[in-house]
Amino acid sequence: MTGTRKPGQIRSTHPGSGNSSFVGSTGGRLGAARLGAARLGAAQLGEHVGKKLRGQERIAPSDTPRRRTDVRLALPALLVWGAAVAGVWFSPVVLLLVCCSSLLVAAFLLGRAARGRTLAAGRRSFLMTTAIALMLAAATASHSAVSSSQRTDGPFAEAVASGRSVVAVLEVTGSPRAMAVPGSSGSGRWSVPAQTQEVTVSGQIIRTRARLVVMGGKGWGNLVPGQVVRAAGKLKPADPGQEEAAVLAASLSPGAAGSGTLGSGARGWEVVAKELRGRYVAAAAFLAHDPAGLLPGMVTGDTSALDEGLNASMKAVGMTHLTAVSGANCSLVLGALLVLARSLRLPRVPAAGLALAGLGMFVVLVGPDASVLRAALMGSIALASLAGGRTGRGLSFLCLAVMGLLLLDPGLGTSFGFLLSVLATLGIIVLGRKMIDWTPAVVPRWAAAAGAVPLSAQLLCGPVIVLLQPQFSTYSLLANILAAPLVAPVTLLGTAAVPLLVFAPWAATTLIAVAGTFSAGVAGTARMTAGLPGASLPWPEGIFGLATMVLLSVLTLAGVWLAVRPRQVLRMVLALHARTVAMLERVERLLRTTREQPNGQRGPANSVRGLEGARGHGRLRYRTKISGRNPPWPRPKAHEPKRSRRTPPPGGT
């Protein structure tokens, strides 16, 4: 859907216009995002063509029709997400009813759209879209019903409810995450996502594929996805709303399953990725203390060497998205690969294939985190659109990525990391572009994007962040804007050093040294802004804190619009003043014409009871309604005594 051409528009020669804007703008604006997981959406900002100034306002170019936001896929994405969340909270019977009712309604809508040949094209499209959305929601709910049954029914659910000790054979499904232990200088506890193959409870073997989280100590941090290990511990019920069926508190280190070794079952590429991450941490050890721990986290996702004080400072100023790999890294790597392919003059399809292969290897290196998967899938869809010559549909790409991931893994529907990633990208796509359009043309587009991208992401992510961490980061926007120019060099140079660790270690050391210099700037920015007074202020918890942060986001957005459009604000204020004056005059005339006297006749205009201006005196006086004459009562003079009125005697005339 495109907008209509307006008269008097000026043709723009902005270099960001055309199909190449997806390539050229990816690396330039992504570093300014509030949450790094959302920076892929900043690439869509380059699709909006530069506008000329006319009366301090930007005008759309005449030869490039302006696209409207395509929201047709928003309803399917919301329904699929709702079905995924319902699968975590409801029982299998309720989910079965949801599936059946969704399919019945979808069949009715499809039949109505097929029979209604006389319906308008827009209405038929809406019916078809809603029917497809309900079918996708039914598929997601049926997928969620499988894991729901493992949490509520069967011998494994009984073992979890009773809290028995078990011996389980597990397959590791994700990278271990360090758990912060108060008073500990290192990470002594690890959280490892896994899936059961068989569980032995009181001599009974239960073969089931249930998802759980293992809380373990020494040895659990060295595992890689795909490994099959044997663990002993005590089962505990998972928290409500979690996708896992149970939590296993491991009492021992992981052991080999069966007759194999401890590393058996792990995929080869997972082992290679883990070795590369370990070698990268060792290669960055010559840097200063802060960049030596921050650089591996920003490039490979390994935060084992990150200083606790630096981590606390980055958390206080809202920069925790930089301490680990997220969608920002995926978008930067994708943009660099696209620019490289274009510089080699490769056609669209080979360029997209090269970028997709490099993106896949990067995802393998850093691990399949929720935000990384979202950014990778969204980038893949954008690449397919680029190869087909259709770009600039950021919201559609986001909805497709959300639906694809939730259909594959409905448990992501309750992941706060996934939610923040989607909200940040949505804010950049929807609000970031508008903020750049609001900015006067005298401000360069790169400067407008540097402030609009992090602010737009923060406006949507703030209400969710206060639920996890009830505090307000006063200097979050300032810290992210200052660190934005440093993120891209750290990511690109640091990622380029990873393969060189194997083939040319001396070259890798050089790149790590340069990237470490930029990462030291990021660390210094975090510590400086965290040391300012009032860097972290307390905020209300729960629903009240969420509501107040939503209100603050709305007021901030309105304040931004008022600040960048002073002429429109002045015209709006004058127009509101004129309307208010006209309304008051109409009310006054209505009161004067509708006021009636006791005898049923309308009185004169000056017979209205109330306050009115005294003619010739410039002050207000109170007028009463007496016979239409309304004379002011004469006041006695100060030197004359009041005359008393004689009262006639009783019975007198």
Side-chain angles (χ1 to χ4, degrees), residues 307-320 523 525-531 535:
D307 181 73
E308 289 188 0
L310 177 59
N311 189 25
S313 298
M314 300 185 79
K315 183 181 296 185
V317 294
M319 297 176 64
T320 52
T525 301
R527 290 189 180 275
M528 179 194 69
T529 52

Side-chain angles (χ1 to χ4, degrees), residues 626-642:
I626 51 172
S627 316
R629 293 176 298 170
N630 194 20
W633 293 103
R635 297 183 179 181
K637 297 182 180 180
H639 61 277
E640 294 183 358
K642 293 184 179 180

Side-chain angles (χ1 to χ4, degrees), residues 392-481:
R393 298 184 178 273
L395 184 59
S396 300
F397 296 159
L398 177 62
C399 293
L400 287 175
V402 168
M403 288 188 292
L405 289 176
L406 291 177
L407 286 172
L408 293 175
D409 186 6
L412 291 176
T414 57
S415 171
F416 277 100
F418 183 72
L419 176 61
L420 289 173
S421 175
V422 173
L423 287 178
T425 307
L426 180 64
I428 292 174
I429 292 174
V430 178
L431 298 180
R433 180 179 300 177
K434 293 185 179 298
M435 290 183 183
I436 293 179
D437 294 342
W438 294 344
T439 307
V442 295
V443 180
R445 288 187 65 84
W446 64 266
V453 170
L455 180 59
S456 59
Q458 186 175 0
L459 290 179
L460 291 190
C461 293
V464 179
I465 292 177
V466 296
L467 293 177
L468 304 174
Q469 186 178 350
Q471 68 178 26
F472 178 73
S473 300
T474 309
Y475 308 107
S476 175
L477 182 62
L478 174 63
N480 281 275
I481 291 178

Side-chain angles (χ1 to χ4, degrees), residues 338-361:
L338 285 173
V339 172
L340 177 63
R342 284 295 199 177
S343 63
L344 297 177
R345 298 184 181 278
L346 294 178
R348 284 179 178 176
V349 176
L354 175 63
L356 186 61
L359 181 62
M361 289 188 292

